[in-house]
Amino acid sequence: MTESERDIDHTAAEQAPARISDDMLIILPVRNLVLFPGTVLPVAINRERSLAGAQEAVRAERKIGFLLQKSPEIQNPGPDDLYRIGTVAGILRYVTGHDGTHHLVVQGERRFRVLDFQNGLPFMVARVEYLADEAQPAAASSSEIEARALNIKRIATEAIQLLPQAPAELANAIQSVESPSALADLVASFMDIKTVEKQQLLETVDLKARLERVTELMGKRLEVLRLQREIEDQTREAIDERQKEVLLREQLRQIRKQLGEEGETGEEIRELSEAIDKAEMPQEAYEQAKKELKRLERMPDASAEYSMLRTWIDWMVQLPWSRLDEETIDIEKARRVLDEDHYGLDKIKRRIIEYLAVRKLNPEGRSPILCFVGPPGVGKTSLGQSIARALGLKFARVSLGGVHDEAEIRGHRRTYIGALPGNIVQAIRKAGTRNPVLMLDEIDKLGAGIQGDPASALLEVLDPEQNNTFRDNYLGLPFDLSKVVFITTANVLDAIPGPLRDRMEVIELTGYTEDEKVEIAKRYLVRRQLEANGLKAEQATVTEEALRQIVRHYTREAGVRNLERQIGAVLRHVAVRIAEGAIERQTVDADDLHAILGAPRFENEVAMRTSVPGVATGLAWTPVGGDILFIEATRVPGSGKLILTGQLGDVMKESAQAALSLVKAQSTRLGIEPGIFENSDVHIHVPAGAIPKDGPSAGVAMFTALTSLLTGRTVHSGVAMTGEISLRGLVLPVGGIKEKTIAAHRAGIRKVLLPARNRKDLEEVPQSVRDEVEFVFCERVDEVVHEALGLELATAA
Ligand SMILES: Nc1ncnc2c1ncn2[C@@H]1O[C@H](COP(=O)(O)OP(=O)(O)O)[C@@H](O)[C@H]1O
Ligand SMILES: [Mg+2]
């Protein structure tokens, strides 16, 4: 352009507004681009005439009409080189780059047709008429149009999914367009069809015809895309899986880099993806994990959903989907391990060895599920650990005490805030293998709640028919539990839900005698507590007599849990003194205990309590082993009534009533002062223990306590008794002899009165108890009062 031309241009532009009337449009010819109504496009302006037109439009705030050139080669198109139908657009932005390029960002508004071109201006101007593209369809055809529009939405959405480079918003935009005409134009504008085809669509003003044409073109494109994808898939399959991963990953990295997105997230996703590959998941889980990872990749990493999904993937990759430890059953080794870890328990160890032997002979068979039943601290958990050690497997524990929601076992669905897998899957992860020994502790404490029944979830866990596809709600995928070695524990057999109990082989542990406890302490507990308190064996010794005193006077339990605690307390005391530099080593003897552990807690309790008339020592069976129980009777002014206090069940109340009736009936024989009931009530109190007591077996002790009270004789200390009474004075058999006699022995009792018909149960009583306790079998209460109170009764009249 010369100086003078520029001047002319300038002048012309100055004058232009006067000559462009309202039905005229500044026209920009474009080469490879069809602008549709409703769409926004950037347009580069390269030609002088176009630049002049654009600048004039910007200056005068006019709209611009875009017309496609019939041939892109033509540098200076005249009216005949242009199509006649185009789109008028508003200018959103006009951008001049540093490098001297000019861009318009325009928004298409309406179709127009050129009526004629105006000459004599430095840019193109045409007189136009606007085309009503949104002609309201007749009611009859409106549903037809709607159906076509819906169809386009469907096809377009599918096509977008197949187009890897299509922006995600596009699909949303298409879904939300309401006007069928706008929809057709939107789809037409992003479709990668020839420019001429686009121009044809622009010229198709009739809505129905345009929708049809868009459908047709889109359908063709979709087919091509599908085919392309198929070919890609086939080629991809041909490439080795690994290679493909590397390839795709590299591509992804490149794309990221170009987008300036490479950063921590990319790194994280890559690591997760590798972790998924390494986790050896079953196919279904693998696919799901990969799919979710893709989803994760697209999420903003600050969102709550991101961290939820992230946690889920973490769980997935950390689970030992395929990790199996090799199970080795060497019976000799198993024996050794069991003996190393536990003193005594011979019968139990034998049962465990049998169990292992069967497992060894028939590895594919279904081993029964062992259930250890017994009071706390008798070694149930540690036996489970030994079994794991003997098998060379990991050990994990799930505590079921107080579990009353199915979700605690099975997990919450991952859509819940803070959801996690259930405790079975959690334990498996902790174990790190798919075949640990899994101890389900306190299965008898399982609650039944409103939120689904945990027992039935547990049944599924333990059922060999189902547990290879155990479905945790959080994972949402089956996990194979069939190789897990399940062991359960309980305090009370009766409290285990029936169907669960049927699945299990019950092994009962009853509790230890004093001697056994001393042995266990000597061989295991002291050593363990030395270690736990950082002491060397030569720094502290606890004499056997001291251990015995601890058992006898500082603990009262069936197991050895408190014993271990007390030994720990003793050794901590020693450790502190050594640390202070006061001493270098200490031997703790029985005499030292008072200073370290304080006054004996259970000293002579029996002797002390029974030193007044009216107190008899009974024996009770509780879920945590046997226990002794003091029945206290006193006399208060009244008229022969019975007052009961303490924690007594109904059966126990009845048996108190029976005891009183019997005493009244036999009062003459017993030598009870006549008329005593006329001015006094008797009050029987059973001290509340931790566990409420019930049952008829305290009848004999109640009778004895009342007789003691009313005759003024004290019960011989060191005598305890159990048995039901009949109104005729017979002593009837009761249960729990073994636990009761062990408890009596533990409490220092040396004579136990038992119903004659319980004689056969003596077999069950450990030898060490039989060695030290005298058992007297009684048919009638006469023998009881003879043994307990030294009363000689005349033969019944
Ligand atoms: N027969 C035994 N020999 C050695 N240690 C024992 C024996 N019985 C119990 N223990 C120890 O007593 C403690 C409590 O036992 P634990 O297994 O926790 O009891 P439970 O599970 O029955 O409540 C553990 O340290 C355990 O090793
Ligand atoms: Mg335990």
Side-chain angles (χ1 to χ4, degrees), residues 618-622 625-629 693 697 721-722 736 739-740 743:
L619 296 174
W621 180 90
T622 75
D627 201 358
I628 60 170
L629 156 98
K693 299 174 184 74
S697 75
M721 62 207 72
T722 183
E739 290 82 1
K740 287 173 175 174

Side-chain angles (χ1 to χ4, degrees), residues 377 379-382 397 439 441 489 561:
K380 299 182 297 295
T381 303
S382 75
R397 204 178 75 95
M439 177 162 269
D441 241 343
T489 79
R561 218 173 258 182

